[in-house]
Amino acid sequence: MRVTTRRGFAVLLAGGPATVAAMLALAGPAAAQSAPPPVSVMIETAGTTAPAYRIAVRNDTDRPVTTTVRQQLPRGAPPTAVSDGGEVRPAVAGDRSAPAEVTWQVSLPARGMTMLSTTLAARPPGSTVTAPTCAFDDAGSQAYDCTAATWVAPRAPVRPGQPLWRQELVLVPSAAMLLVGVAVGLVVRRGRRRYAQVRRSPGTAGNGAVPGSGASGPPRSAPPRSAPPSAGPSRPARSSPPQWGVRPTKPATALVVGLAAAGLAVTLALTGWTGTEQVAGMNPNTRPTNGAWIGRTATGALGASLQEAAFDMTVYRLVCDPSDGATRTCLATVYLHNRGGTEQRWHAGMQRIYLPSGNWVSADDSATRAANRGQDPFADPVPPGDSRLVALAFSVPAREQPVRIELRSGAFSAGVSVAL
């Protein structure tokens, strides 16, 4: 094998430049086209009172690489600080209604890494901000890598300068504990009263023995009494029910009111506490587009990882190019991971983008292949455990702005829905 390889190189060198050019021509464009350089992106949030992100962009190749890094910003969260080289502009040039994004043109040396950062305007306590970030090629269409991080606002601190009894973080738990203590005190007081009634009941003997309890000791004899003269036949005496020393009592009104007030206070406190948390779940207003779907549609925002029947799906970016014609192309950067044990197929007709009118448009096959450098992401099934980062293209009317995108693996999966 080594001899054959050396002979091949000898023939190639002997042929000169003409032979090299002929072999490249026979190899075709596929041999001359190199694979995209692997550029990885990592992002983390800073524990500050305002949303802050640190982005690490790394070049894993042995040659320099130029990449375009784009960070999508949520609406209502303008940036206040951007690292050197970053430019804040709408996601679509000339369209101010489009969400803003920060763009960097980064030149990475071989095996090099650079750090980027952004800081957004302060958000109210309990809010969350997700900012997906992707690294693209020079053209800005093919994504190398994407990631996202969610910043969670810290809990509201105790505001200085206010009396302790006016601070809501102290008032509600203190009131609940006070009411619970009052209720417990009423219960203890009620129990002591019942115990005292038992001690003073007429059915209890002086020595603490209850009649009929089997107490030892000789019975005391009483002198016989003379029966009074009767005018007629005598009737048998009625036997009185045994006295057990406990009389039926009604629950105290203060006890009932106290327990009810304590339960209400605890419920209000728990409701106020959990109201500041971000609860991830199903949107009750979301329904499948028809009755054929199985399960419920998982909903989320850009950069959120959502699970459906077979895939974990994340939509990092969706941008619609301006157009003067009747239609325009919208590109969605989508990541999917097959978490099952079998290969899964997904079809272009099941990936939909919805318009404000309620109509939907399926993915455009030819435009999707062009966005993925001639490769069809729907041609081959996704192996188990495999992940893909693809661009989906949709042709929508030029004057309509999409409001959400739905992705699904099969014809019966409820899929995921991402608000735009």
Side-chain angles (χ1 to χ4, degrees), residues 3 8 13 25 39 75-76 78 96 99 101 114 120 140 163 166 168 218 222 270 294 341 348 368 384:
V3 176
L13 294 176
V39 177
R75 298 182 185 273
R96 295 185 177 181
E101 67 177 10
T114 185
L120 310 183
R166 292 186 59 186
E168 62 274 8
L270 292 177
I294 297 177
T368 298

Side-chain angles (χ1 to χ4, degrees), residues 13-203:
L13 294 176
T19 307
V20 175
M23 293 187 65
L24 291 177
L26 292 176
Q33 184 179 2
S34 60
V39 177
S40 59
V41 181
M42 295 177 291
I43 186 173
E44 64 177 359
T45 60
T48 55
T49 56
Y53 303 89
R54 292 189 293 265
I55 306 168
V57 185
R58 180 180 176 83
N59 176 19
D60 295 328
T61 64
D62 295 328
R63 58 188 180 87
V65 174
T66 301
T67 180
T68 301
V69 181
R70 301 179 185 272
Q71 183 181 24
Q72 186 93 22
L73 302 181
R75 298 182 185 273
T80 58
V82 179
S83 60
D84 294 339
E87 182 180 358
V88 182
R89 58 186 179 184
V92 179
D95 187 3
R96 295 185 177 181
S97 62
E101 67 177 10
V102 184
T103 304
W104 294 270
Q105 296 292 335
V106 181
S107 297
L108 298 173
R111 303 293 176 180
M113 184 181 67
T114 185
M115 296 296 298
L116 310 173
S117 64
T118 55
T119 303
L120 310 183
R123 305 292 292 174
S127 59
T128 59
V129 180
T130 302
T133 304
C134 293
F136 295 87
D137 57 3
D138 295 338
S141 59
Q142 182 67 34
Y144 293 148
D145 189 24
C146 291
T147 185
T150 300
W151 174 87
V152 181
R155 298 188 183 276
V158 177
R159 295 192 294 269
Q162 286 188 350
L164 187 63
W165 60 272
R166 292 186 59 186
Q167 297 171 3
E168 62 274 8
L169 294 180
V170 179
L171 179 60
V172 175
S174 300
M177 294 177 62
L178 178 60
L179 292 176
V180 171
V182 171
V184 172
L186 291 175
V187 171
V188 173
R189 183 179 179 183
R190 187 63 179 172
R192 290 181 178 179
R193 287 183 178 180
R194 290 171 61 90
Y195 179 74
Q197 290 179 1
V198 172
R199 299 274 299 181
R200 295 193 303 266
S201 62

Side-chain angles (χ1 to χ4, degrees), residues 245-296:
V246 179
R247 296 181 180 179
T249 58
K250 296 182 180 180
T253 304
L255 176 62
V256 176
V257 175
L259 290 176
L264 179 61
V266 172
T267 302
L268 292 177
L270 292 177
T271 302
W273 185 267
T274 57
T276 59
E277 298 294 331
Q278 178 76 11
V279 180
M282 299 296 182
N283 186 354
N285 298 324
T286 301
R287 295 291 183 270
T289 52
N290 59 49
W293 311 134
I294 297 177
R296 295 178 64 90

Side-chain angles (χ1 to χ4, degrees), residues 298-326:
T299 61
L302 289 175
S305 179
L306 304 175
Q307 291 186 354
E308 56 106 49
F311 294 145
D312 294 336
M313 293 185 169
T314 306
V315 180
Y316 289 104
R317 189 170 182 260
L318 189 137
V319 176
C320 298
D321 296 333
S323 176
D324 297 333

